[in-house]
């Protein structure tokens, strides 16, 4: 986290010298079930607090945009609009919330059914349905040929998932920083039938809401021989209520 010169000076002053005393840093705002669920399913970094709109742009080491995610959200924390663009593969989709469904913004086809306020419930085309716990967090997804289990920490931060499809098991494990204000500093591994596939290391700068402003991401393809490393930068814009 960037600290300005005034804050640096204050950090050097003993607590007893400050008239107001020294208060413990406030605890970060927990992640909502909707933010945790959507970030896990649509592969973007979850954000804290009263987010109104955001963009996350993945830039490769050549300076070219590889992926972009953008969204606008209601004050209740629902994703009103979610746009996903895989630039590298020239694919994407824009979803808009309409009653109990997310519709394709272009065709208005019903893509995702919701539950609760606006949590994921069913992907009709794939026959996939999500189950939630009593807090509204997605804990499992089931389809004709797949079953997925999800894990979170006590702040609702996604710790990964295990996807089982017939004789293949894909395990995604995320280990965030021990600093609760820096959850996006993490290491992550993906294993296919317990065989390492990819490893990710991310470190970020943060805003006052403990959300990332920019991150450095190193991906290692451990399935290749020798392993191949790729460096990315993630740029964020976040607007709050």
């Amino acid at each position: 986290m960037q600290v300005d010169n005034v804050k640096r000076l204050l950090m050097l002053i003993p607590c007893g010298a400050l008239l107001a005393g020294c208060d413990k840093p406030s605890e970060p705002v927990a992640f909502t079930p909707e933010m945790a669920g959507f970030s896990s399913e649509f592969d973007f970094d979850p954000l804290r607090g009263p987010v109104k709109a955001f963009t996350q742009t993945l830039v490769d080491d050549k300076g070219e945009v590889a992926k972009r995610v953008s969204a606008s959200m209601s004050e209740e924390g629902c994703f009103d609009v979610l746009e996903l663009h895989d630039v590298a593969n020239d694919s994407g989709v824009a979803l808009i919330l309409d009653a109990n469904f997310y519709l394709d913004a272009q065709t208005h086809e019903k893509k995702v059914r919701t539950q609760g306020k606006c949590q994921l419930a069913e992907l009709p085309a794939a026959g996939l349905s999500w189950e939630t716990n009593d807090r509204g967090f997605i804990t499992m997804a089931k389809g004709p040929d797949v079953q997925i289990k999800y894990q979170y920490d006590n702040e609702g931060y996604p710790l990964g998932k295990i996807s089982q499809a017939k004789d293949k098991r894909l395990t995604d494990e995320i280990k965030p920083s021990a600093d609760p204000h820096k959850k996006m500093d993490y290491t992550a591994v993906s294993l296919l039938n317990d065989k390492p596939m990819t490893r990710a290391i991310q470190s970020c700068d943060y805003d006052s809401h403990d959300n990332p402003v920019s991150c450095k991401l190193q991906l290692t393809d451990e399935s290749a021989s020798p392993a191949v490393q790729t460096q990315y930068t993630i740029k964020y814009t976040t607007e709050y209520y």
Side-chain angles (χ1 to χ4, degrees), residues 55-131:
T55 63
Q56 299 182 11
T57 306
L58 183 69
V59 181
D60 65 21
D61 52 6
K62 298 178 182 178
E64 298 177 350
V65 174
K67 179 180 176 182
R68 180 181 290 110
V69 179
S70 61
S72 61
M73 304 186 68
S74 68
E75 291 189 68
E76 292 75 28
C78 293
F79 284 84
D80 288 334
V81 179
L82 178 63
E83 296 185 49
L84 310 162
H85 192 190
D86 185 344
V87 180
N89 295 306
D90 193 26
S91 64
V93 66
L95 302 174
I96 55 175
L97 181 61
D98 181 23
N100 295 323
F101 285 90
Y102 280 95
L103 311 181
D104 185 299
Q106 292 186 333
T107 66
H108 295 281
E109 177 187 356
K110 293 179 178 178
K111 289 289 190 178
V112 182
R113 186 174 63 83
T114 64
Q115 58 183 314
K117 288 190 303 181
C118 48
Q119 181 60 286
L120 300 170
E122 182 185 12
L123 193 63
L128 184 74
S129 60
W130 289 276
E131 299 177 4

Side-chain angles (χ1 to χ4, degrees), residues 26-216:
S26 59
E27 291 297 320
V29 176
F31 298 90
T32 67
E34 293 78 17
M35 181 62 76
F38 275 72
S39 66
S40 290
E41 287 307 297
F42 297 110
D43 192 24
F44 60 86
D45 285 333
L47 302 173
R48 306 176 187 267
V51 175
K52 184 176 184 180
F54 70 84
T55 63
Q56 299 182 11
T57 306
L58 183 69
V59 181
D60 65 21
D61 52 6
K62 298 178 182 178
E64 298 177 350
V65 174
K67 179 180 176 182
R68 180 181 290 110
V69 179
S70 61
S72 61
M73 304 186 68
S74 68
E75 291 189 68
E76 292 75 28
C78 293
F79 284 84
D80 288 334
V81 179
L82 178 63
E83 296 185 49
L84 310 162
H85 192 190
D86 185 344
V87 180
N89 295 306
D90 193 26
S91 64
V93 66
L95 302 174
I96 55 175
L97 181 61
D98 181 23
N100 295 323
F101 285 90
Y102 280 95
L103 311 181
D104 185 299
Q106 292 186 333
T107 66
H108 295 281
E109 177 187 356
K110 293 179 178 178
K111 289 289 190 178
V112 182
R113 186 174 63 83
T114 64
Q115 58 183 314
K117 288 190 303 181
C118 48
Q119 181 60 286
L120 300 170
E122 182 185 12
L123 193 63
L128 184 74
S129 60
W130 289 276
E131 299 177 4
T132 59
N133 61 16
D134 55 5
R135 296 172 57 205
F137 284 86
I138 290 171
T139 56
M140 184 175 293
K142 294 180 179 179
D145 300 307
V146 65
Q147 179 173 290
I148 308 170
K149 295 181 179 180
Y150 304 78
Q151 294 183 327
Y152 311 89
D153 68 9
N154 57 6
E155 293 180 59
Y157 179 78
L159 296 177
K161 54 189 178 182
I162 300 175
S163 306
Q164 184 77 44
K166 296 183 179 179
D167 60 343
K168 294 183 179 180
R169 183 178 67 257
L170 179 63
T171 304
D172 296 310
E173 299 176 349
I174 302 172
K175 184 178 180 180
S177 166
D179 185 340
H181 297 272
K182 298 183 177 182
K183 288 287 187 181
M184 295 306 123
D185 288 17
Y186 66 74
T187 58
V189 295
S190 292
L191 310 171
L192 182 60
N193 292 343
D194 297 324
K195 180 180 179 181
M197 299 297 291
T198 60
R199 179 177 298 274
I201 302 175
Q202 181 167 288
S203 60
C204 307
D205 294 324
Y206 295 82
D207 66 14
S208 59
H209 291 266
D210 300 310
N211 286 323
V213 175
S214 65
C215 296
K216 297 294 184 182

